[in-house]
Amino acid sequence: MITIIPAIDIIDGKCVRLSRGEYASAKTYNENPLDVALAFADAGCRRLHLVDLDGAKSKHIVNYRVIEAIASRTDLVIDFGGGVKSDEDLRIAFESGAQMVTGGSIALTDPTTFRRWLSRYGGERIILGADSKNGKIAISGWTEQSDADIVPFINGYVNEGVRQVISTDINVDGMLTGPSTALYKRILDEVDGVHIIASGGVGSIEHIVELAQINVPEVIVGKAIYENKISLNDIERINRGELC
């Protein structure tokens, strides 16, 4: 069984989606992210992946008011990412209502701080963001690419207590052409005990089935929902185990 986690990406307080992580490609789908979150909650979703794209680019949290609005009006478990680079950013995210925070860039650029967060809050609340392009970790809102190979990067942190890893292949993100199944299979085969959350490329229920067949437990879906490729009814049925 695989679970869908719907996604909301924020620029200027609005719900947007990018293609391949390019900010110039941003398309606004809704002026009010709370309305979108309420629709997800009404469809039976329990968790929300919320990304502050302004924060990712600015390297500090920006859209924390969106977290507050959604947390105060829904029961969705919010995992938040984007611009969390300091203890203060982390405090703001948690106090605004996020139950989990994803550390991506900081896990590579400031591993001491990331490890401190992991030790203090545990693997239930601190998620590793392992977004990549051509197998190499990308940082700073995907505007920079490192030389770090994704599998050793993930493996090292799983050995240190990370429990959940969100991994987006930037090459397919927002393209609706299919997820990077081979990448996720490699991660599952080579990293013992990893709980991988796939992200990027999903454009149909068939793509979700494909991920379920290699035992990916959860998948983040955004643009496919906004482009009506996957309906809220489909999500509800998949999360009940009826379609996958």
Side-chain angles (χ1 to χ4, degrees):
M1 179 177 172
I2 190 169
T3 299
I4 291 181
I5 302 171
I8 294 178
D9 291 357
I10 305 299
I11 291 180
D12 295 332
K14 301 172 185 178
C15 180
V16 307
R17 297 303 293 178
L18 308 182
S19 295
R20 292 176 174 156
E22 297 173 1
Y23 281 70
S25 72
K27 179 179 179 180
T28 300
Y29 286 93
N30 195 297
E31 299 281 330
N32 189 349
L34 175 59
D35 290 342
V36 179
L38 287 168
F40 290 149
D42 287 345
C45 296
R46 296 182 179 180
R47 180 165 164 179
L48 174 68
H49 180 63
L50 183 63
V51 179
D52 182 356
L53 290 175
D54 291 318
K57 196 171 185 179
S58 301
K59 301 185 180 181
H60 63 85
I61 192 170
V62 174
N63 288 294
Y64 63 92
R65 295 294 185 191
V66 176
I67 310 175
E68 292 176 346
I70 294 173
S72 65
R73 294 285 302 279
T74 77
D75 292 326
L76 292 166
V77 174
I78 300 171
D79 76 66
F80 176 79
V84 182
K85 299 290 188 293
S86 67
D87 292 345
E88 178 67 6
D89 289 324
L90 190 67
R91 181 191 65 78
I92 291 170
F94 282 143
E95 290 186 359
S96 297
Q99 286 95 332
M100 294 174 276
V101 168
T102 301
S105 298
I106 194 166
L108 183 69
T109 61
D110 188 359
T112 300
T113 295
F114 183 78
R115 290 186 182 105
R116 186 175 71 251
W117 294 351
L118 187 59
S119 176
R120 179 175 179 182
Y121 295 99
E124 293 295 333
R125 302 195 72 188
I126 301 297
I127 302 170
L128 177 65
D131 301 335
S132 65
K133 189 172 184 178
N134 302 321
K136 303 294 184 181
I137 295 296
I139 60 174
S140 302
W142 301 348
T143 60
E144 301 175 35
Q145 187 171 347
S146 75
D147 293 325
D149 186 82
I150 186 170
V151 170
F153 178 73
I154 292 174
N155 197 43
Y157 277 117
V158 168
N159 289 336
E160 294 188 44
V162 160
R163 296 188 182 180
Q164 300 181 72
V165 178
I166 296 176
S167 180
T168 304
D169 185 338
I170 298 166
N171 287 322
V172 301
D173 188 64
M175 304 310 292
L176 305 175
T177 53
S180 293
T181 307
L183 173 66
Y184 301 126
K185 189 175 187 308
R186 179 188 168 207
I187 294 169
L188 288 166
D189 287 345
E190 297 183 26
V191 182
D192 290 338
V194 66
H195 182 99
I196 194 75
I197 302 171
S199 174
V202 171
S204 67
I205 291 175
E206 289 73 22
H207 292 155
I208 295 172
V209 170
E210 184 180 313
L211 291 169
Q213 289 174 340
I214 64 166
N215 297 317
V216 170
E218 295 180 291
V219 56
I220 292 168
V221 181
K223 194 170 187 177
I225 300 171
Y226 303 118
E227 295 283 342
N228 298 312
K229 306 293 185 182
I230 296 174
S231 71
L232 292 179
N233 182 60
D234 290 334
I235 292 174
E236 192 167 8
R237 292 182 66 195
I238 290 169
N239 285 348
R240 289 201 303 259
E242 296 177 5
L243 295 180
C244 296

